[in-house]
Amino acid sequence: AESACPGCAAAMPLAALRAHCAACPAVAESERAQAAQLKVTPAGPTAPNRSTFACPFPACAAVNLDHKGLLAHFDSAHPGQTCRAVCPICASMPWGRADYQSPDLVGHMRMRHQFEYTEFVDYQEFAAEDEEAMLQAALAQSLKDQ
């Protein structure tokens, strides 16, 4: 079977076409032109990481903890301790403030983060809402699921 080179249109046996195209200057020029036409579009803004967090205790290197893992880490690595720190879960939320330091982070975590927001919240729907609206929506959904 015969075929033509897509670059120079030379006819040749199909078995020889791959080797010819690899060395053909017309094919190389065509590929360069196509690559120049392709524009690399950066991906849109990435969503913040709302699934894993670093321990906010000073000098603690624990990372990649989900919300339950973070609470368990407090019990095992920092029993009976508390610290004034930014809640990493709240800071990752659309309504969160990365500059607000909770005076009792462990107490805050135990009170406000007993469920996984991602299971109950549509971040697109509530992107501009505050935490209370999001919490109320999550609680209403959790009652429906029971």
Side-chain angles (χ1 to χ4, degrees):
E2 292 249 333
S3 188
C5 171
C8 67
M12 65 197 68
L14 192 55
L17 184 61
R18 182 174 291 168
H20 171 82
C21 287
C24 179
V27 169
E29 180 58 35
S30 173
E31 288 174 353
R32 275 193 296 277
Q34 285 177 348
Q37 288 178 344
L38 294 176
K39 293 183 179 176
V40 177
T41 305
T46 58
N49 177 4
R50 294 186 179 115
S51 58
T52 60
F53 309 97
C55 176
F57 270 82
C60 185
V63 293
N64 297 323
L65 302 164
D66 65 9
H67 86 282
K68 289 180 184 174
L70 192 53
L71 286 168
H73 170 76
F74 290 162
D75 290 339
S76 64
H78 311 290
Q81 298 177 27
T82 189
C83 73
R84 180 178 190 86
V86 172
C87 173
I89 297 173
C90 287
S92 73
M93 298 298 165
W95 62 84
R97 288 182 42 206
D99 62 339
Y100 175 74
Q101 293 193 353
S102 174
D104 177 9
L105 179 67
V106 175
H108 164 82
M109 292 278 301
R110 291 192 195 296
M111 185 173 74
R112 299 300 289 211
H113 300 298
Q114 291 299 313
F115 65 93
E116 190 70 56
Y117 278 99
T118 56
E119 293 175 10
F120 299 105
V121 173
D122 178 357
Y123 289 105
Q124 299 304 317
E125 179 182 347
F126 290 99
E129 296 292 329
D130 66 352
E131 180 180 15
E132 194 60 34
M134 190 76 86
L135 180 61
Q136 292 304 317
L139 291 172
Q141 182 64 40
S142 70
L143 292 173
K144 279 191 215 176
D145 292 345
Q146 289 184 356

